[in-house]
C-alpha cells in the first residue's frame, strides 16, 4: 500500500512537470535551452563544481517556472476578476522566473566564455576522461526528451503507459553508456539482459505495449550512442 502511494506521488509530481511543459511556452524554451547547454558541456573539461552549478542553475529556472505556473493557476481558481493583489502576485512570480533566467545566462557566460574562445584548441578526448559526467548528462537528456514526448502524446501517466516507455529508455541508455565505459563483452551482455528484463516487465505488467517499449529502447540507446560517439 505504501509502495502504491509512493508511485502515485511520483506520478502526480511528474504529471505537474508535463502539465507545465504542455501549457507554458517558456517552460519548453527552458527545457530546450537546458538540453543545449548540457550538450555543449560535453565538449569542455568542466570541473565537478562547474557541473554542479550547471545542474543547480537549470533546476532553479525550471522550479521557478513551475512555481509561477502554480501561482497563476491558484489565482485563476480563486477569482476571474481583476484585482491589484492578484496582479502583484502574478508579477512577482514572473519576476522570480526572470531573475532565475538572468542568473542562468550569467552562469553560462562565466563557465563557457573563456572555453568558447579556445574552442579550436579543445580536443574531444578530454571528455573521454570524464565518463561519469557524460553518463549523467546523457541520462538527464534522455529523461527530458522522454518527458517532452509524453507531454506531446498526452497518453498514460508519467510512470505508467504512454509513448515512449521511460523505464526502457533509461535502461537502454545505461546499457549504451556501460558499453562505452567498460568495453567488456561480459559486462555489456549482462547489462543488456537487465535492460531487456526491464522492457519485458513493462509489457508484462501491462503498462506499455510492445511498440512503446521498442521506441523507448531505440530512443535511449540512440541518444546515448550519439552523445558518446560524438565525443569518443
Amino acid at each position: 500500500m505504501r509502495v502504491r502511494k509512493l508511485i502515485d506521488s511520483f506520478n502526480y509530481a511528474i504529471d505537474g512537470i508535463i502539465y507545465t511543459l504542455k501549457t507554458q511556452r517558456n517552460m519548453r524554451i527552458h527545457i530546450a535551452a537546458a538540453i543545449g547547454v548540457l550538450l555543449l558541456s560535453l565538449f569542455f573539461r568542466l570541473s565537478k563544481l562547474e557541473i554542479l552549478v550547471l545542474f543547480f542553475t537549470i533546476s532553479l529556472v525550471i522550479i521557478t517556472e513551475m512555481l509561477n505556473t502554480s501561482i497563476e493557476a491558484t489565482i485563476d481558481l480563486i477569482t476571474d476578476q481583476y484585482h491589484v493583489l492578484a496582479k502583484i502576485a502574478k508579477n512577482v512570480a514572473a519576476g522570480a522566473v526572470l531573475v532565475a533566467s538572468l542568473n542562468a545566462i550569467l552562469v553560462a557566460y562565466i563557465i563557457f566564455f573563456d572555453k568558447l574562445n579556445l574552442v579550436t584548441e579543445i580536443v574531444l578526448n578530454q571528455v573521454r576522461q570524464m565518463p561519469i559526467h557524460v553518463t549523467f548528462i546523457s541520462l538527464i537528456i534522455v529523461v527530458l526528451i522522454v518527458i517532452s514526448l509524453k507531454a506531446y502524446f498526452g497518453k498514460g501517466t508519467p510512470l505508467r503507459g504512454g509513448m515512449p516507455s521511460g523505464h526502457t529508455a533509461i535502461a537502454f541508455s545505461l546499457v549504451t553508456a556501460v558499453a562505452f565505459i567498460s568495453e567488456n563483452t561480459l559486462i555489456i551482455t549482462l547489462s543488456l539482459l537487465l535492460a531487456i528484463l526491464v522492457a519485458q516487465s513493462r509489457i508484462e505488467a501491462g503498462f506499455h505495449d510492445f511498440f512503446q517499449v521498442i521506441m523507448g529502447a531505440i530512443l535511449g540507446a540512440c541518444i546515448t550512442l550519439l552523445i558518446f560517439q560524438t565525443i569518443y
Side-chain angles (χ1 to χ4, degrees):
M1 191 65 178
R2 292 181 179 178
V3 174
R4 173 79 271 153
K5 290 182 178 179
L6 181 62
I7 293 176
D8 287 341
S9 297
F10 276 109
N11 269 319
Y12 298 147
I14 300 176
D15 197 42
I17 299 175
I18 292 177
Y19 172 81
T20 309
L21 190 60
K22 290 175 64 175
T23 60
Q24 304 299 313
R25 183 188 64 176
N26 287 343
M27 184 65 162
R28 294 192 288 272
I29 295 174
H30 296 326
I31 293 294
I35 293 174
V37 169
L38 290 174
L39 286 173
L40 184 63
S41 70
L42 294 172
F43 296 93
F44 301 98
R45 185 187 287 276
L46 300 184
S47 66
K48 290 183 179 180
L49 179 59
E50 288 173 326
I51 291 291
L52 289 174
V53 170
L54 276 182
F55 287 162
F56 176 78
T57 303
I58 291 171
S59 299
L60 180 62
V61 173
I62 292 175
I63 290 170
T64 52
E65 183 64 49
M66 293 180 67
L67 289 175
N68 179 48
T69 302
S70 178
I71 290 172
E72 288 183 349
T74 302
I75 293 174
D76 292 340
L77 174 66
I78 295 174
T79 178
D80 58 356
Q81 302 295 321
Y82 173 83
H83 195 288
V84 65
L85 293 180
K87 177 183 178 182
I88 291 174
K90 289 188 175 184
N91 288 348
V92 170
V97 177
L98 178 61
V99 171
S101 300
L102 292 176
N103 174 71
I105 294 173
L106 180 61
V107 168
Y109 176 84
I110 293 174
I111 291 178
F112 290 110
F113 181 75
D114 291 336
K115 295 178 175 62
L116 286 173
N117 282 339
L118 301 175
V119 69
T120 56
E121 301 177 9
I122 293 176
V123 180
L124 294 179
N125 287 335
Q126 290 179 333
V127 186
R128 203 173 193 176
Q129 302 171 9
M130 300 189 299
I132 295 178
H133 292 173
V134 177
T135 302
F136 276 109
I137 289 173
S138 300
L139 283 175
I140 292 173
I141 291 174
V142 168
V143 170
L144 290 176
I145 292 177
V146 166
I147 290 176
S148 300
L149 289 174
K150 283 182 177 289
Y152 175 78
F153 287 105
K155 293 183 179 180
T157 63
L159 294 178
R160 290 185 181 181
M163 172 67 78
S165 169
H167 291 76
T168 307
I170 293 174
F172 276 83
S173 174
L174 288 172
V175 169
T176 308
V178 167
F180 275 93
I181 296 171
S182 69
E183 298 181 354
N184 183 296
T185 304
L186 177 60
I187 294 176
I188 295 172
T189 302
L190 294 176
S191 300
L192 180 60
L193 288 175
L194 287 175
I196 292 174
L197 286 175
V198 171
Q200 187 271 339
S201 68
R202 305 306 290 174
I203 298 176
E204 193 70 25
F207 296 149
H208 295 278
D209 58 33
F210 182 76
F211 180 72
Q212 292 169 342
V213 166
I214 290 297
M215 293 306 297
I218 293 174
L219 176 68
C222 287
I223 292 174
T224 309
L225 177 63
L226 177 63
I227 293 173
F228 273 85
Q229 189 66 37
T230 300
I231 64 175
Y232 268 74

